[in-house]
């Protein structure tokens, strides 16, 4: 569990999360936690699958997995190192209601961050207080919407662009098309002035600024959504009357705000 601190990165290449910006930023903000290399750093992954392998049967099971990143890369992602924290049963995907199932896990993560648990280190023959932190989540794009609460089914689907995303609804294709991708190019790039091969306009905008944690907290401050499937008198799920960009105040925000406010930016 001390590999990430004792093993040197000699060539500066990114081979492990400890070489990345998020890990190093966390170390700078929380030196007390980082001073104990045996404290556990976790990543959470979840996705749904059909356990029966039959496309004709609609059933979705969602395992929630935790990965300890203290271990070297050839061990951290192995099945023997993976922690199966829970299995969310079907028949349908949990959607927004995944927060209900995550409540016991978030409660334990809060305790592991604030109080820790006495743990025996067999290699050093001593007992220490082990703490843990959830650094990030891993999911596909629909799963990102379920975990974060950001609506990924609208024209503003990109959570990094946030409300600054520019999209065009195709009249016949009925799909959202993002023609503003040239704004990510360098300011003097030749494609920015190329009207003929794109949308007939010169692109002068800067790339969108990824919102900070404090900005996101302001956006969700007044979000009040009651979790649970809404069933009408016929027994069918009702559609939302108003499409919200923030579909809920994610349970992960309660974990971050209560303990490590500064890490909201890292998580998003």
């Amino acid at each position: 569990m001390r590999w990430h601190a004792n093993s040197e990165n000699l060539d500066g290449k990114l081979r492990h999360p400890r070489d990345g910006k998020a890990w190093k930023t966390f170390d700078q903000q929380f030196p007390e936690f980082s001073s104990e290399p045996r404290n556990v750093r976790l990543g959470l992954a979840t996705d749904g699958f059909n356990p029966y392998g039959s496309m004709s049967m609609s059933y979705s099971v969602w395992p929630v997995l935790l990965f300890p990143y203290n271990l070297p890369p050839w061990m951290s992602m192995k099945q023997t190192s993976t922690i199966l924290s829970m299995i969310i049963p079907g028949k349908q995907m949990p959607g927004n209601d995944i927060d209900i199932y995550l409540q016991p896990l978030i409660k334990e993560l809060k305790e592991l961050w604030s109080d820790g648990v006495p743990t025996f280190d067999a290699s050093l023959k001593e007992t220490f207080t082990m703490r843990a932190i959830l650094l990030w989540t891993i999911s596909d794009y629909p799963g990102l919407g379920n975990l974060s609460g950001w609506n990924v089914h609208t024209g503003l689907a990109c959570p990094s662009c946030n409300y600054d995303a520019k999209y065009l609804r195709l009249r016949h294709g009925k799909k959202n098309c993002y023609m503003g991708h040239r704004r990510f190019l360098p300011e003097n790039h030749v494609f920015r002035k190329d009207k003929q091969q794109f949308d007939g306009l010169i692109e002068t905008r800067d790339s969108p600024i990824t919102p900070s944690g404090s900005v996101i907290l302001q956006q969700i401050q007044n979000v009040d959504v009651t979790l649970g499937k809404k069933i009408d008198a016929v027994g069918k799920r009702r559609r939302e009357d108003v499409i919200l960009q923030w579909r809920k105040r994610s349970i992960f925000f309660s974990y971050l705000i209560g303990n490590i406010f500064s890490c909201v930016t890292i998580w998003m």
Side-chain angles (χ1 to χ4, degrees):
M1 298 298 286
R2 299 190 299 269
W3 176 89
H4 66 96
N6 298 336
S7 178
E8 296 184 11
N9 184 347
L10 300 178
D11 56 9
K13 294 183 179 180
L14 181 62
R15 292 190 175 90
H16 187 272
R18 64 96 189 260
D19 304 323
K21 182 178 180 180
W23 189 293
K24 295 176 181 178
T25 302
F26 178 83
D27 285 349
Q28 294 174 359
Q29 294 181 348
F30 304 100
E32 181 184 357
F33 182 96
S34 305
S35 62
E36 174 53 79
R38 293 172 293 187
N39 286 335
V40 183
R41 303 169 191 243
L42 299 168
L44 182 147
T46 184
D47 197 5
F49 70 97
N50 188 333
Y52 302 108
S54 173
M55 298 299 293
S56 61
M57 181 178 295
S58 177
Y59 203 95
S60 180
V61 173
W62 285 65
V64 179
L65 308 174
L66 295 173
F67 298 94
Y69 288 109
N70 295 53
L71 302 174
W74 55 87
M75 293 179 60
S76 60
M77 303 300 290
K78 294 292 185 180
Q79 182 177 353
T80 53
S81 303
T82 303
I83 304 171
L84 179 60
S85 62
M86 71 180 71
I87 298 178
I88 303 175
K91 296 182 177 180
Q92 298 174 340
M93 63 180 293
N96 248 14
D97 298 334
I98 194 172
D99 286 9
I100 299 175
Y101 300 96
L102 291 175
Q103 287 178 0
L105 175 60
I106 296 299
K107 180 181 178 181
E108 292 184 0
L109 287 173
K110 287 182 178 180
E111 294 174 355
L112 286 171
W113 167 259
S114 58
D115 302 327
V117 292
T119 306
F120 181 72
D121 187 337
S123 62
L124 299 180
K125 308 298 182 183
E126 65 179 21
T127 300
F128 71 102
T129 301
M130 184 191 71
R131 297 168 62 196
I133 177 64
L134 178 65
L135 288 177
W136 46 66
T137 62
I138 307 167
S139 63
D140 57 11
Y141 218 62
L144 170 65
N146 294 339
L147 293 174
S148 67
W150 182 259
N151 195 338
V152 297
H153 302 289
T154 67
L156 304 176
C158 176
S160 296
C161 297
N162 205 255
Y163 288 101
D164 197 19
K166 304 297 180 182
Y167 69 97
L168 175 67
R169 185 73 174 177
L170 297 180
R171 183 183 306 173
H172 301 290
K174 307 299 182 182
K175 300 290 184 181
N176 291 325
C177 178
Y178 295 88
M179 296 300 296
H181 51 280
R182 287 183 294 162
R183 63 191 300 195
F184 292 92
L185 295 173
E187 185 177 353
N188 58 349
H189 199 283
V190 64
F191 282 176
R192 280 182 170 268
K193 299 181 180 180
D194 192 342
K195 298 189 295 183
Q196 183 177 358
Q197 300 188 54
F198 293 96
D199 56 359
L201 300 174
I202 296 177
E203 183 59 79
T204 59
R205 297 171 298 171
D206 295 329
S207 59
I209 300 175
T210 301
S212 64
S214 57
V215 171
I216 294 173
L217 291 177
Q218 291 177 1
Q219 293 178 358
I220 66 172
Q221 187 174 7
N222 297 321
V223 174
D224 185 15
V225 177
T226 302
L227 299 178
K229 299 291 188 295
K230 298 178 177 61
I231 308 297
D232 59 17
V234 186
K236 296 182 178 180
R237 290 176 57 187
R238 291 186 300 175
R239 292 186 176 272
E240 298 177 354
D241 297 330
V242 180
I243 298 177
L244 303 175
Q245 194 53 51
W246 282 107
R247 301 176 60 200
K248 65 178 178 181
R249 185 185 179 94
S250 174
I251 193 172
F252 287 101
F253 285 107
S254 67
Y255 169 62
L256 295 169
I257 297 170
N259 299 285
I260 43 174
F261 173 81
S262 300
C263 279
V264 175
T265 305
I266 297 177
W267 176 70
M268 288 300 292

